[in-house]
Amino acid sequence: MTPAEKTQLAHQLLNEHYGVQAIYGRVDPMHELIGTILSHRTTHANEVTAYRTMRERFPTWEAVRDAPLPDLIAAIHTANYPEVKAPYIQNVLRELIAERGAANIDFLHDLTTDDAMQWLTNLPGVGLKTATLLLLFSFHKPVLPIDTHVHRVTQRLGLIGPKVSAEKAHALLLSYLPADATELFNFHKHFYWHGQRVCTWYTPKCDACVLAPHCDFLQTGKTMMLSSTPKKSGK
C-alpha cells in the first residue's frame, strides 16, 4: 500500500473501533485558545484547574491581560511551565485587544482556512498545534492537529517517515485525507485516544491493537528509531 492508502485504512479501522464522533469543543473560542496554550505538556485535569483558577482571580480578559505577571503565574501554576505560558497569554490578549478592540476571535469563522491560520500563528506563542486545534474544534476548518500521541502512532504505523517532525506531519497526513472537518476531527481524536490508551510511549499494548497487523514498529520487533520516541531517563 502507498502511505495514503495505509493512512486511509488506519483511519477506517479506528473509526470502526472508536465510533465516528460529531465535532465538539469548548463553546467559547477564547476558552479554546487560552485553554490550548495552557494544555501544552500538562494533563487535562491540570489545564482545567489552571484555567478555572485564572478566571476566578481575573474574571475578564482585560483583567488577565493587566494582571501582575507573578500573580498570573501563581494562578495557572498547575499547568506545567506557568512562567512561560503566563507571558504568552498576556501578549496574545494585548495584541488581540489592540487589533480587534475586544478579546473576541469569532471573526475567524468568516476567514479562509489559510487566512485564519496565518492570523493565529502571527500571535505570540501560538504555533501550528494551537492554531489547528482551535480552527478544527471551534470553527470546523479542515485542518489536522498533530500532538505527541498522533505523531507517535502515525510514525509507528509507518504512515509518515521515522524522522518526520510533528509540524511536517501536519501537511503530509492532511494530503492523504479528505479535506473535511468531521473526517479530520475523527482522525485526530481517534489517533489521540489510541496513543493514550493503547500505543503508549514505553509499553504499547500491541496485543490489544486493531492496527497491529499494519504496524511497521511491531513488525520490526519494536526496534525502529523514531523521532517521536521519548528517551528514557538515564539513557
Side-chain angles (χ1 to χ4, degrees):
M1 285 185 288
T2 66
E5 290 170 337
K6 192 172 183 180
T7 299
Q8 291 159 16
L9 173 61
H11 178 40
Q12 177 186 339
L13 290 171
L14 291 190
N15 274 350
E16 293 169 358
H17 184 69
Y18 291 109
V20 175
Q21 317 286 315
I23 299 176
Y24 60 88
R26 300 177 178 100
V27 173
D28 177 13
M30 280 300 299
H31 186 168
E32 191 74 58
L33 173 60
I34 303 303
T36 302
I37 294 174
L38 288 170
S39 74
H40 291 180
R41 299 192 179 189
T42 195
T43 65
H44 178 68
N46 285 343
E47 171 212 330
V48 169
T49 299
Y51 185 89
R52 183 179 64 247
T53 303
M54 177 184 70
R55 296 312 304 273
E56 287 172 352
R57 296 184 187 178
F58 311 106
T60 68
W61 290 119
E62 288 77 10
V64 176
R65 176 197 63 187
D66 298 336
L69 186 57
D71 293 351
L72 183 56
I73 291 171
I76 64 169
H77 77 277
T78 59
N80 290 344
Y81 310 107
E83 72 284 354
V84 175
K85 295 172 181 178
Y88 279 160
I89 290 169
Q90 289 190 322
N91 288 334
V92 163
L93 291 171
R94 288 187 188 108
E95 290 208 10
L96 173 58
I97 294 170
E99 178 181 331
R100 307 295 303 184
N104 187 304
I105 54 174
D106 291 351
F107 71 94
L108 293 174
H109 176 78
D110 298 322
L111 298 185
T112 66
T113 301
D114 288 344
D115 286 347
M117 183 73 74
Q118 183 66 48
W119 187 88
L120 279 170
T121 53
N122 281 339
L123 291 174
V126 176
L128 186 60
K129 177 186 169 185
T130 298
T132 51
L133 283 167
L134 175 65
L135 292 179
L136 180 61
F137 283 38
S138 293
F139 298 104
H140 300 189
K141 304 284 190 185
V143 294
L144 181 59
I146 306 293
D147 77 330
T148 55
H149 297 297
V150 177
H151 189 211
R152 179 174 64 258
V153 178
T154 54
Q155 265 197 338
R156 284 178 174 173
L157 282 172
L159 308 185
I160 58 176
K163 295 184 179 180
V164 172
S165 67
E167 184 165 324
K168 290 182 179 178
H170 166 80
L172 191 58
L173 291 168
L174 198 59
S175 72
Y176 298 155
L177 295 162
D180 177 86
T182 300
E183 291 281 355
L184 296 169
F185 177 84
N186 278 277
F187 187 93
H188 168 77
K189 292 298 290 188
H190 294 163
F191 276 79
Y192 173 82
W193 287 338
H194 206 65
Q196 274 191 324
R197 304 170 187 179
V198 180
C199 194
T200 51
W201 277 12
Y202 296 132
T203 54
K205 303 174 182 66
C206 299
D207 291 345
C209 181
V210 297
L211 302 176
H214 312 286
C215 180
D216 289 1
F217 182 71
L218 178 59
Q219 293 178 21
T220 58
K222 305 181 186 180
T223 59
M224 289 175 64
M225 298 299 296
L226 306 172
S227 62
S228 59
T229 302
K231 295 180 180 179
K232 293 185 179 181
S233 59
K235 298 290 185 181

